Amino acid sequence: MPKMKEIGVAVLGFGTVGAGVVETLQKNGHLLADRLGIRLVLRGVADLDLTTDRGVKVDPALLTTDGAALIARPDVQIVVELIGGTGVAKQFILQALQLGKTVVTANKKLLAEHGEEIQRVADEHQAEILFEASVGGGIPIIKALREGLCANRIERIYGILNGTCNYILTRMEEEKLPFAEVLKAAQAAGYAEAEPSLDIDGHDTAHKAAVLASLAYGGHVPLAKIRVTGIRHLAAADIAYAAEMGYRIKLLAIIQGDANGIEVSVQPTLVAHSHQLAAVGGVFNAVLVQGDVVGTTLYYGRGAGRAATASAVVADLADAALNLQAGGRRRDLSAVQSRAPVAFRDPGEIVARNYLRFSMRDKPGTLASVASILGRHQIGIDSVMQHEAPSPADYVPVIIVTGPAPEREMDAALAEIAATSGIVNQPAVRYRIEDFD
Ligand code: HSE
């Protein structure tokens, strides 16, 4: 029997995901070889720390602290970057691409911040970069967008893309606890980072949204164009009021495009309890993609963690191996990525319903004044909720769910309400409602 073709793989970064990749190659390497007709051979693993136990047995001869030398080895065709960040990870990725090697990475921050440069270097050297693990962990959402849905114009993508935030929101709702308390418990349980701001302030979701938007609409999507609100300031009271009104609050990446341009935003968003995205609890991720041919599709799974992320990385290794065997990239994204920059919609024109919580003066006529200002801005009211105060108070919470309105009108109405004396004693709390129609 002829010897099976071998393709050499180097893993940079022997952390949680790196160890998961090594373990998956050991566990399912034979299965992959059967499926691909190619054997993926681990040539080395580079990390500055070679003493920590990674929970996986690896031949010590494969371990090195010299990433650059490992990349340069002629028997390495695919370089897996799992270091993270934008420093040495970027250097190694550029080195590998300049040598014409295929790169597989999970590094959404690097792709979101330097994707344009990295793609350019890849194109210059006819090298390929694959990044399935960068969004949605084990969910094959990149493959779905690049391949499964390539017959479609993408109309919308909604993503629950950060497990830490979804876990915190789920516990806040279920246990009626404030954000700070749940964050502390999540950190103690290892579900949230000691320095959690990348996750809770929405930036990790924005990095992933940039990757998805770039794939869906072509061209570079600068992070500066993505409007981002995280969950740090979300009050348990709003989760409870939203629940009473039939909604759950999720940190959503919203990506949508039409002839007027695209919107990419990240924000706490009200989702009807009956919608599938509302049922995505705990650390899980989900992505809804609406295409003009296929309609609505939904993807669900673990968005992070050793095994789920390794599953995505190794799937990229399989694709990379097949592409190398075929002598090139099966899907040349450079044609798409080099199109004219994506046009962004004017945020003021984005139309949505809104959840508003006012701290409203408890005096006859106040609600009528608010309704009148909203009305003057052509903003309808879908529902209003106020509870009897347990004891007399000067200001009481009143929740208003508005009809669809452009953001410009919503901003103007809320500014007018805040500026009119005797109505509210603090700015209204406002969250978008998505109806998914
Ligand atoms: N920190 C991310 C999350 C996973 O909580 O989902 C890595 O992107």
Side-chain angles (χ1 to χ4, degrees):
M1 218 171 67
K3 195 171 174 287
M4 192 180 275
K5 183 180 169 71
E6 292 188 346
I7 287 189
V9 176
V11 172
L12 310 178
F14 203 19
T16 307
V17 180
V21 169
V22 172
E23 191 171 40
T24 305
L25 287 174
Q26 289 174 354
K27 185 178 166 199
N28 286 348
H30 286 295
L31 182 68
L32 275 162
D34 286 346
R35 288 178 175 163
L36 303 173
I38 302 168
R39 199 180 310 287
L40 295 165
V41 182
L42 186 65
R43 304 284 192 216
V45 181
D47 201 292
L48 292 179
D49 169 9
L50 297 179
T51 51
T52 300
D53 180 7
R54 310 293 179 171
V56 58
K57 273 210 183 93
V58 56
D59 178 352
L62 291 178
L63 299 177
T64 175
T65 54
D66 191 345
L70 179 58
I71 294 167
R73 270 173 57 166
D75 59 352
V76 165
Q77 284 88 39
I78 308 174
V79 173
V80 183
E81 182 277 308
L82 297 168
I83 299 164
T86 54
V88 71
K90 183 180 174 198
Q91 283 170 32
F92 282 153
I93 284 180
L94 292 178
Q95 180 197 342
L97 293 173
Q98 279 156 355
L99 291 170
K101 307 204 174 189
T102 302
V103 169
V104 172
T105 181
N107 194 334
K108 57 239 128 204
K109 186 172 196 289
L110 181 62
L111 293 169
E113 291 181 6
H114 302 281
E116 216 178 6
E117 177 188 353
I118 287 169
Q119 190 63 51
R120 195 182 60 243
V121 173
D123 292 341
E124 279 166 13
H125 295 85
Q126 282 92 49
E128 183 171 40
I129 177 154
L130 295 165
F131 43 87
E132 183 61 70
S134 66
V135 182
I139 306 172
I141 187 62
I142 305 290
K143 203 169 184 69
L145 278 172
R146 279 170 65 144
E147 302 183 23
L149 300 176
C150 73
N152 291 260
R153 285 193 184 280
I154 303 301
E155 294 171 336
R156 290 168 183 195
I157 302 175
Y158 296 102
I160 294 173
L161 299 174
N162 187 271
T164 305
C165 288
N166 206 50
Y167 173 84
I168 291 174
L169 293 177
T170 304
R171 283 198 61 183
M172 282 177 76
E173 181 177 355
E174 284 175 355
E175 296 166 47
K176 302 193 179 354
L177 291 174
F179 171 81
E181 202 172 310
V182 177
L183 172 63
K184 217 183 269 173
Q187 285 170 318
Y191 287 121
E193 302 279 348
E195 207 306 82
S197 52
L198 192 66
D199 290 317
I200 65 175
D201 291 328
H203 301 298
D204 175 74
T205 303
H207 293 147
K208 294 166 180 169
V211 172
L212 293 183
S214 168
L215 271 181
Y217 294 106
H220 177 56
V221 174
L223 282 173
K225 290 277 193 183
I226 303 181
R227 294 182 305 149
V228 184
T229 307
I231 62 167
R232 191 190 288 270
H233 302 295
L234 185 63
D238 290 310
I239 293 181
Y241 289 132
E244 276 189 70
M245 302 187 93
Y247 296 95
R248 191 161 272 155
I249 300 186
K250 292 291 180 192
L251 185 70
L252 278 197
I254 300 175
I255 302 163
Q256 49 188 344
D258 59 23
N260 299 317
I262 68 164
E263 174 201 2
V264 187
S265 64
V266 175
Q267 57 199 301
T269 306
L270 274 72
V271 176
H273 269 144
S274 55
H275 194 272
Q276 291 98 322
L277 284 180
V280 177
V283 295
F284 279 84
N285 281 199
V287 190
L288 183 155
V289 183
Q290 194 178 309
D292 66 344
V293 181
V294 72
T296 296
T297 60
L298 186 62
Y299 311 83
Y300 168 88
R302 287 191 183 278
R306 174 177 169 129
T309 312
S311 167
V313 169
V314 175
D316 272 352
L317 287 178
D319 261 357
L322 290 175
N323 291 353
L324 286 167
Q325 173 157 275
R329 295 178 284 189
R330 284 177 306 159
R331 265 162 226 277
D332 190 354
L333 280 184
S334 61
V336 177
Q337 304 293 2
S338 60
R339 268 206 242 126
V342 193
F344 280 78
R345 291 184 67 182
D346 173 354
E349 284 168 11
I350 292 166
V351 174
R353 296 200 302 138
N354 282 273
Y355 161 101
L356 306 174
R357 172 166 58 86
F358 294 99
S359 174
M360 213 180 271
R361 183 111 187 256
D362 199 8
K363 190 169 157 257
T366 315
L367 185 55
S369 306
V370 169
S372 152
I373 294 172
L374 291 174
R376 274 207 303 283
H377 289 273
Q378 302 300 312
I379 299 169
I381 292 175
D382 284 357
S383 65
V384 179
M385 184 173 82
Q386 179 183 357
H387 292 309
E388 265 183 59
S391 54
D394 290 341
Y395 289 86
V396 291
V398 176
I399 316 300
I400 293 182
V401 168
T402 74
E407 286 204 15
R408 181 172 293 115
E409 291 303 325
M410 206 62 240
D411 289 341
L414 292 180
E416 198 176 325
I417 289 166
T420 307
S421 73
I423 299 187
V424 294
N425 66 346
Q426 52 185 260
V429 172
R430 163 185 171 188
Y431 293 113
R432 180 155 155 178
I433 301 175
E434 271 303 327
D435 294 309
F436 306 102
D437 49 7

